[in-house]
Structures are given as C-alpha cells and as structure tokens.
Amino acid sequence: MVTLKDKVVVVTGGTAGIGAATVEHCAALGARVVFTGRDRGRGAELAKRILHARFVRGDVTARDFPESIVRDCVSHEGRIDVLVNNAGILFRGRADETTDEQWDATFATNVTAVFRMSRAVVPGMRAQGGGAIVNVASDWALVGARGALAYGASKGAVAQLTRSMAVDHARDRIRVNAVCPGDTETAMLMSGATADREAHLARLGAAIPLGRVGQPIEVAKLIAYLASDDAAFITGALMPIDGGNSAA
C-alpha cells in the first residue's frame, strides 16, 4: 500500500479540484501537508477538516513567494520531501482569440511559478539526500489543445521542464515527474460548459475511450504514488491519466 508517512508535502493551488483532492489524499496517507492558494476562506475550511494539513495563503506568481513558502515550511515542519506543482489557470481561445494579457498570465502561473517553486526546493532536497517533485501537466502537453492555445503551450513547457529537471537532478536523488490529466470534473473543466452540468459531462465523456471524465481523487492517487517511495525508480515520466484520450 502506498504510504507517505512522515513526509512533508507542499501542494500549490490546493484549495479546489485536483489540488484539494491531493491535499486530502496525501494527508490520509500519513503526510504532513502544507498547501497554498489565493482563496483564504476555502483554504481555511479545508485545513479545518483535514488532520495534519496547514494552509498558507499566497500567490505563486509573486516573485518572492516560492522562497517565502520554503522558509515557512522548513521553519514549521523542518523539511520538504515532496512538492506538487498543481496551481494553474486556463483561458480558452485560439491564437487569434488570445490576448497578450491572457498569454502572459497563463505562462506566469503554469510555467514560471512551476520553475520558481521547483528551484526553491532543490537546495533543501539535495542537502537532505533527495525528494520528489510532481508537476500537474495535462494530456494537452502530449497532443494538440483544441481551442486552448495558451494553456496547451504552457503544459507542453511543463512537460519539458519536468524531463530536463529529472535528468539534471537524478544524481541528487530528486525525482521529477508529471501527471497529465485529461478532462477531470473540476471547476476549470466546467468553465467551458455550454449546457447543464450533467449534459456537459456526458458530452465530454462520450469522446473519451473509457466513456467518462475523470475524478480529482483519481489524479490525486497517481500524484501520491509518484511522490512515494514506491516510485523510487521513476523519474522524468509524463504519465497520462485521461481515460485513453491521448492514446486515441
């Protein structure tokens, strides 16, 4: 059975969707979890009901935030064993429909923040003899992103960042992997709804080989596995969890 007992796990964008499921699941597996987000109310509510989870409000795009959260975690928890880069935003649109502001905001959150957070944890992980970084990419990092140009390009960048960091830090015993979710029932997915919720989910599910959209807990379980010692020989992997979508 996968365990994260006594590990300290940091999750960005942890107040909703895949992030919240990851916070809850990692805590259930024995980790001490520190999670971030901009919504103080949702963060406080989640922390209140999950044992061994602590919320730190903040914006991952702020230049000084990565070093600040690392200092906070080392001060309170003593170390960081796992970083889950989950925070992300989505603007829908083709190239001719995407503004400079949307492009810049997407890359600031989905790529630059992943780089800065990862850079901030590497020295401590190296000094303690290793660690794990799990990036939340997308199946749109593996195939073309129809109608979501900026998002797809940003997740492709996350995929290459994952592979490059994996080979750079393998000898430091820092494993770097990415999960690549397909359509998953979150607020982000529902932002593209053109019908009622159930009809929208049914329409999306019909296009997926397994016949349904994913659930946040399913992605959280894969994240936890990659963070655990059970995945000790896995690094540089881009792991689809998309119901067969990228295979088709």
Side-chain angles (χ1 to χ4, degrees):
M1 178 180 173
V2 171
T3 180
L4 294 173
K5 183 174 171 55
D6 298 327
K7 290 189 183 295
V8 177
V9 178
V10 175
V11 181
T12 68
T15 61
I18 290 170
T22 301
V23 170
E24 192 159 5
H25 188 59
C26 288
L29 293 178
R32 288 176 288 155
V33 184
V34 178
F35 66 103
T36 76
R38 291 179 292 184
D39 191 316
R40 189 186 302 276
R42 285 194 308 204
E45 181 182 346
L46 187 61
K48 186 185 300 183
R49 64 182 177 83
I50 299 177
L51 191 64
H52 304 310
R54 184 167 66 88
F55 173 62
V56 178
R57 184 180 180 276
D59 182 349
V60 291
T61 66
R63 185 172 290 273
D64 62 346
F65 183 75
E67 286 74 19
S68 173
I69 189 66
V70 168
R71 287 194 301 270
D72 176 273
C73 289
V74 172
S75 174
H76 287 86
E77 278 74 37
R79 58 192 284 134
I80 297 173
D81 298 294
V82 178
L83 168 65
V84 180
N85 283 308
N86 169 72
I89 59 172
L90 165 67
F91 293 104
R92 299 182 186 275
R94 303 171 306 184
D96 57 334
E97 300 166 330
T98 301
T99 67
D100 287 347
E101 291 75 18
Q102 290 171 333
W103 179 271
D104 291 345
T106 299
F107 272 76
T109 302
N110 295 4
V111 183
T112 303
V114 172
F115 158 65
R116 288 177 177 160
M117 286 295 303
S118 300
R119 179 179 62 182
V121 301
V122 161
M125 287 183 175
R126 181 192 293 122
Q128 71 198 22
I133 297 172
V134 184
N135 298 322
V136 178
S138 168
D139 62 347
W140 279 345
L142 309 173
V143 299
R146 187 186 298 272
L149 176 78
Y151 184 82
S154 73
K155 293 304 185 177
V158 169
Q160 189 61 6
L161 187 153
T162 298
R163 287 184 290 226
S164 296
M165 285 196 68
V167 296
D168 280 345
H169 297 290
R171 297 302 173 92
D172 297 323
R173 298 183 64 192
I174 300 172
R175 297 182 300 103
V176 188
N177 294 292
V179 297
C180 299
D183 287 344
T184 305
E185 190 175 348
T186 63
M188 181 181 286
L189 182 70
M190 298 311 296
S191 69
T194 56
D196 68 82
R197 183 181 189 88
E198 294 308 315
H200 183 63
L201 293 174
R203 180 181 65 81
L204 294 174
I208 296 171
L210 283 182
R212 65 173 178 86
V213 303
Q215 295 299 313
I217 185 58
E218 294 175 305
V219 183
K221 287 179 178 180
L222 180 56
I223 290 170
Y225 168 70
L226 291 172
S228 76
D229 293 340
D230 284 4
F233 201 56
I234 301 175
T235 195
L238 309 176
M239 303 192 73
I241 178 165
D242 62 2
N245 209 42
S246 56

PDB file of all heavy atoms in Angstrom, residues 101-118:
ATOM      1  N   GLU A 101      -2.323  39.656 -22.575  1.00  0.00           N
ATOM      2  CA  GLU A 101      -2.503  39.548 -21.126  1.00  0.00           C
ATOM      3  C   GLU A 101      -2.834  38.114 -20.715  1.00  0.00           C
ATOM      4  O   GLU A 101      -2.336  37.605 -19.704  1.00  0.00           O
ATOM      5  CB  GLU A 101      -3.606  40.501 -20.661  1.00  0.00           C
ATOM      6  CG  GLU A 101      -3.252  41.984 -20.760  1.00  0.00           C
ATOM      7  CD  GLU A 101      -3.289  42.530 -22.185  1.00  0.00           C
ATOM      8  OE1 GLU A 101      -3.907  41.875 -23.069  1.00  0.00           O
ATOM      9  OE2 GLU A 101      -2.704  43.604 -22.416  1.00  0.00           O
ATOM     10  N   GLN A 102      -3.676  37.446 -21.487  1.00  0.00           N
ATOM     11  CA  GLN A 102      -4.019  36.056 -21.185  1.00  0.00           C
ATOM     12  C   GLN A 102      -2.809  35.139 -21.367  1.00  0.00           C
ATOM     13  O   GLN A 102      -2.570  34.240 -20.561  1.00  0.00           O
ATOM     14  CB  GLN A 102      -5.172  35.601 -22.086  1.00  0.00           C
ATOM     15  CG  GLN A 102      -6.503  36.251 -21.754  1.00  0.00           C
ATOM     16  CD  GLN A 102      -7.571  35.951 -22.793  1.00  0.00           C
ATOM     17  OE1 GLN A 102      -7.268  35.711 -23.960  1.00  0.00           O
ATOM     18  NE2 GLN A 102      -8.818  35.978 -22.360  1.00  0.00           N
ATOM     19  N   TRP A 103      -2.070  35.346 -22.426  1.00  0.00           N
ATOM     20  CA  TRP A 103      -0.855  34.554 -22.674  1.00  0.00           C
ATOM     21  C   TRP A 103       0.133  34.715 -21.528  1.00  0.00           C
ATOM     22  O   TRP A 103       0.649  33.733 -20.976  1.00  0.00           O
ATOM     23  CB  TRP A 103      -0.228  34.966 -23.999  1.00  0.00           C
ATOM     24  CG  TRP A 103       1.032  34.232 -24.331  1.00  0.00           C
ATOM     25  CD1 TRP A 103       2.299  34.588 -23.981  1.00  0.00           C
ATOM     26  CD2 TRP A 103       1.150  33.004 -25.072  1.00  0.00           C
ATOM     27  NE1 TRP A 103       3.211  33.670 -24.457  1.00  0.00           N
ATOM     28  CE2 TRP A 103       2.528  32.695 -25.131  1.00  0.00           C
ATOM     29  CE3 TRP A 103       0.228  32.170 -25.683  1.00  0.00           C
ATOM     30  CZ2 TRP A 103       2.995  31.559 -25.790  1.00  0.00           C
ATOM     31  CZ3 TRP A 103       0.704  31.037 -26.348  1.00  0.00           C
ATOM     32  CH2 TRP A 103       2.068  30.739 -26.386  1.00  0.00           C
ATOM     33  N   ASP A 104       0.399  35.965 -21.143  1.00  0.00           N
ATOM     34  CA  ASP A 104       1.379  36.238 -20.089  1.00  0.00           C
ATOM     35  C   ASP A 104       0.923  35.670 -18.752  1.00  0.00           C
ATOM     36  O   ASP A 104       1.728  35.091 -18.006  1.00  0.00           O
ATOM     37  CB  ASP A 104       1.614  37.748 -19.957  1.00  0.00           C
ATOM     38  CG  ASP A 104       2.353  38.339 -21.156  1.00  0.00           C
ATOM     39  OD1 ASP A 104       2.939  37.557 -21.945  1.00  0.00           O
ATOM     40  OD2 ASP A 104       2.337  39.576 -21.313  1.00  0.00           O
ATOM     41  N   ALA A 105      -0.364  35.821 -18.429  1.00  0.00           N
ATOM     42  CA  ALA A 105      -0.877  35.303 -17.158  1.00  0.00           C
ATOM     43  C   ALA A 105      -0.795  33.787 -17.121  1.00  0.00           C
ATOM     44  O   ALA A 105      -0.457  33.192 -16.088  1.00  0.00           O
ATOM     45  CB  ALA A 105      -2.310  35.766 -16.949  1.00  0.00           C
ATOM     46  N   THR A 106      -1.087  33.138 -18.256  1.00  0.00           N
ATOM     47  CA  THR A 106      -1.026  31.675 -18.316  1.00  0.00           C
ATOM     48  C   THR A 106       0.383  31.183 -18.066  1.00  0.00           C
ATOM     49  O   THR A 106       0.597  30.253 -17.268  1.00  0.00           O
ATOM     50  CB  THR A 106      -1.524  31.184 -19.691  1.00  0.00           C
ATOM     51  OG1 THR A 106      -2.874  31.590 -19.866  1.00  0.00           O
ATOM     52  CG2 THR A 106      -1.427  29.672 -19.788  1.00  0.00           C
ATOM     53  N   PHE A 107       1.359  31.774 -18.720  1.00  0.00           N
ATOM     54  CA  PHE A 107       2.730  31.313 -18.545  1.00  0.00           C
ATOM     55  C   PHE A 107       3.289  31.689 -17.175  1.00  0.00           C
ATOM     56  O   PHE A 107       4.076  30.939 -16.594  1.00  0.00           O
ATOM     57  CB  PHE A 107       3.619  31.827 -19.682  1.00  0.00           C
ATOM     58  CG  PHE A 107       3.617  30.894 -20.857  1.00  0.00           C
ATOM     59  CD1 PHE A 107       2.528  30.845 -21.715  1.00  0.00           C
ATOM     60  CD2 PHE A 107       4.665  30.024 -21.084  1.00  0.00           C
ATOM     61  CE1 PHE A 107       2.482  29.960 -22.777  1.00  0.00           C
ATOM     62  CE2 PHE A 107       4.643  29.133 -22.140  1.00  0.00           C
ATOM     63  CZ  PHE A 107       3.550  29.100 -22.994  1.00  0.00           C
ATOM     64  N   ALA A 108       2.847  32.821 -16.611  1.00  0.00           N
ATOM     65  CA  ALA A 108       3.300  33.197 -15.264  1.00  0.00           C
ATOM     66  C   ALA A 108       2.871  32.167 -14.234  1.00  0.00           C
ATOM     67  O   ALA A 108       3.646  31.783 -13.346  1.00  0.00           O
ATOM     68  CB  ALA A 108       2.748  34.574 -14.895  1.00  0.00           C
ATOM     69  N   THR A 109       1.627  31.686 -14.346  1.00  0.00           N
ATOM     70  CA  THR A 109       1.099  30.724 -13.372  1.00  0.00           C
ATOM     71  C   THR A 109       1.510  29.299 -13.693  1.00  0.00           C
ATOM     72  O   THR A 109       1.950  28.549 -12.815  1.00  0.00           O
ATOM     73  CB  THR A 109      -0.439  30.805 -13.330  1.00  0.00           C
ATOM     74  OG1 THR A 109      -0.830  32.137 -12.987  1.00  0.00           O
ATOM     75  CG2 THR A 109      -1.002  29.844 -12.289  1.00  0.00           C
ATOM     76  N   ASN A 110       1.364  28.900 -14.946  1.00  0.00           N
ATOM     77  CA  ASN A 110       1.506  27.496 -15.317  1.00  0.00           C
ATOM     78  C   ASN A 110       2.938  27.059 -15.573  1.00  0.00           C
ATOM     79  O   ASN A 110       3.223  25.857 -15.537  1.00  0.00           O
ATOM     80  CB  ASN A 110       0.673  27.197 -16.576  1.00  0.00           C
ATOM     81  CG  ASN A 110      -0.811  27.358 -16.363  1.00  0.00           C
ATOM     82  OD1 ASN A 110      -1.249  27.768 -15.299  1.00  0.00           O
ATOM     83  ND2 ASN A 110      -1.596  27.046 -17.367  1.00  0.00           N
ATOM     84  N   VAL A 111       3.833  28.009 -15.851  1.00  0.00           N
ATOM     85  CA  VAL A 111       5.220  27.649 -16.175  1.00  0.00           C
ATOM     86  C   VAL A 111       6.214  28.321 -15.240  1.00  0.00           C
ATOM     87  O   VAL A 111       6.977  27.649 -14.540  1.00  0.00           O
ATOM     88  CB  VAL A 111       5.556  28.001 -17.642  1.00  0.00           C
ATOM     89  CG1 VAL A 111       6.983  27.536 -17.976  1.00  0.00           C
ATOM     90  CG2 VAL A 111       4.565  27.383 -18.601  1.00  0.00           C
ATOM     91  N   THR A 112       6.212  29.657 -15.201  1.00  0.00           N
ATOM     92  CA  THR A 112       7.219  30.361 -14.400  1.00  0.00           C
ATOM     93  C   THR A 112       7.099  30.013 -12.926  1.00  0.00           C
ATOM     94  O   THR A 112       8.111  29.795 -12.244  1.00  0.00           O
ATOM     95  CB  THR A 112       7.094  31.878 -14.602  1.00  0.00           C
ATOM     96  OG1 THR A 112       7.220  32.172 -15.998  1.00  0.00           O
ATOM     97  CG2 THR A 112       8.189  32.613 -13.839  1.00  0.00           C
ATOM     98  N   ALA A 113       5.884  29.922 -12.407  1.00  0.00           N
ATOM     99  CA  ALA A 113       5.714  29.568 -10.994  1.00  0.00           C
ATOM    100  C   ALA A 113       6.177  28.143 -10.722  1.00  0.00           C
ATOM    101  O   ALA A 113       6.751  27.866  -9.658  1.00  0.00           O
ATOM    102  CB  ALA A 113       4.253  29.728 -10.579  1.00  0.00           C
ATOM    103  N   VAL A 114       5.962  27.239 -11.664  1.00  0.00           N
ATOM    104  CA  VAL A 114       6.446  25.858 -11.508  1.00  0.00           C
ATOM    105  C   VAL A 114       7.972  25.855 -11.447  1.00  0.00           C
ATOM    106  O   VAL A 114       8.577  25.182 -10.603  1.00  0.00           O
ATOM    107  CB  VAL A 114       5.940  24.980 -12.669  1.00  0.00           C
ATOM    108  CG1 VAL A 114       6.586  23.600 -12.632  1.00  0.00           C
ATOM    109  CG2 VAL A 114       4.421  24.853 -12.613  1.00  0.00           C
ATOM    110  N   PHE A 115       8.610  26.599 -12.339  1.00  0.00           N
ATOM    111  CA  PHE A 115      10.063  26.720 -12.326  1.00  0.00           C
ATOM    112  C   PHE A 115      10.570  27.298 -11.008  1.00  0.00           C
ATOM    113  O   PHE A 115      11.474  26.746 -10.370  1.00  0.00           O
ATOM    114  CB  PHE A 115      10.517  27.589 -13.501  1.00  0.00           C
ATOM    115  CG  PHE A 115      11.868  28.212 -13.316  1.00  0.00           C
ATOM    116  CD1 PHE A 115      13.015  27.421 -13.235  1.00  0.00           C
ATOM    117  CD2 PHE A 115      12.001  29.589 -13.206  1.00  0.00           C
ATOM    118  CE1 PHE A 115      14.272  28.005 -13.038  1.00  0.00           C
ATOM    119  CE2 PHE A 115      13.238  30.176 -13.013  1.00  0.00           C
ATOM    120  CZ  PHE A 115      14.374  29.381 -12.927  1.00  0.00           C
ATOM    121  N   ARG A 116       9.979  28.407 -10.570  1.00  0.00           N
ATOM    122  CA  ARG A 116      10.469  29.062  -9.355  1.00  0.00           C
ATOM    123  C   ARG A 116      10.242  28.217  -8.108  1.00  0.00           C
ATOM    124  O   ARG A 116      11.106  28.157  -7.225  1.00  0.00           O
ATOM    125  CB  ARG A 116       9.809  30.434  -9.202  1.00  0.00           C
ATOM    126  CG  ARG A 116      10.311  31.466 -10.196  1.00  0.00           C
ATOM    127  CD  ARG A 116       9.572  32.777 -10.037  1.00  0.00           C
ATOM    128  NE  ARG A 116      10.097  33.797 -10.932  1.00  0.00           N
ATOM    129  CZ  ARG A 116       9.427  34.889 -11.282  1.00  0.00           C
ATOM    130  NH1 ARG A 116       8.196  35.089 -10.811  1.00  0.00           N
ATOM    131  NH2 ARG A 116       9.956  35.776 -12.107  1.00  0.00           N
ATOM    132  N   MET A 117       9.082  27.580  -8.013  1.00  0.00           N
ATOM    133  CA  MET A 117       8.832  26.701  -6.870  1.00  0.00           C
ATOM    134  C   MET A 117       9.820  25.539  -6.862  1.00  0.00           C
ATOM    135  O   MET A 117      10.383  25.184  -5.812  1.00  0.00           O
ATOM    136  CB  MET A 117       7.394  26.177  -6.899  1.00  0.00           C
ATOM    137  CG  MET A 117       6.322  27.165  -6.516  1.00  0.00           C
ATOM    138  SD  MET A 117       6.397  27.736  -4.797  1.00  0.00           S
ATOM    139  CE  MET A 117       6.308  26.187  -3.896  1.00  0.00           C
ATOM    140  N   SER A 118      10.041  24.955  -8.014  1.00  0.00           N
ATOM    141  CA  SER A 118      10.965  23.824  -8.102  1.00  0.00           C
ATOM    142  C   SER A 118      12.382  24.263  -7.762  1.00  0.00           C
ATOM    143  O   SER A 118      13.090  23.578  -7.009  1.00  0.00           O
ATOM    144  CB  SER A 118      10.922  23.226  -9.519  1.00  0.00           C
ATOM    145  OG  SER A 118       9.626  22.764  -9.831  1.00  0.00           O
TER     146      SER A 118
END
